[in-house]
Amino acid sequence: MTIQASSKRSKILYLMEFLKANTDEEHGVTVREITDYLEGIGITADRKTIYADLGELQSFGLDIVKERKAGVTRY
């Protein structure tokens, strides 16, 4: 599945679905895993926009926790 480049607004929705499907209280994902997923479906995103999108989702009310262990940050 490839997403049109003009559907940047949809990126945050794909991010939300990815987080819901791939994370829980014991398992997080890295920003690299997020960008790899998005690129895999045809959406280009850099880490700065991912951080901004994560902040938007938190503002929206999603319970997104940032955790750093052994030098790796997961959400």
Side-chain angles (χ1 to χ4, degrees):
M1 168 172 65
T2 301
I3 308 305
Q4 296 292 331
S6 63
S7 66
K8 289 182 181 180
R9 292 179 293 187
S10 299
K11 177 180 56 129
I12 199 165
L13 298 174
Y14 284 101
L15 172 57
M16 181 177 68
E17 287 300 315
F18 178 77
L19 292 172
K20 285 184 175 185
N22 295 284
T23 64
D24 59 30
E25 291 182 14
E26 295 155 9
H27 303 94
V29 293
T30 64
V31 169
R32 182 63 189 183
E33 291 169 323
I34 294 168
T35 56
D36 286 349
Y37 164 74
L38 292 172
E39 288 175 5
I41 60 170
I43 298 175
T44 303
D46 62 38
R47 63 182 177 78
K48 289 182 181 181
T49 60
I50 297 300
Y51 297 138
D53 290 342
L54 289 168
E56 284 292 319
L57 290 172
Q58 285 176 315
S59 296
F60 183 68
L62 254 59
D63 184 23
I64 299 175
V65 177
K66 178 180 175 181
E67 182 176 67
R68 186 161 178 90
K69 284 187 181 177
V72 177
T73 302
R74 296 187 180 276
Y75 296 88

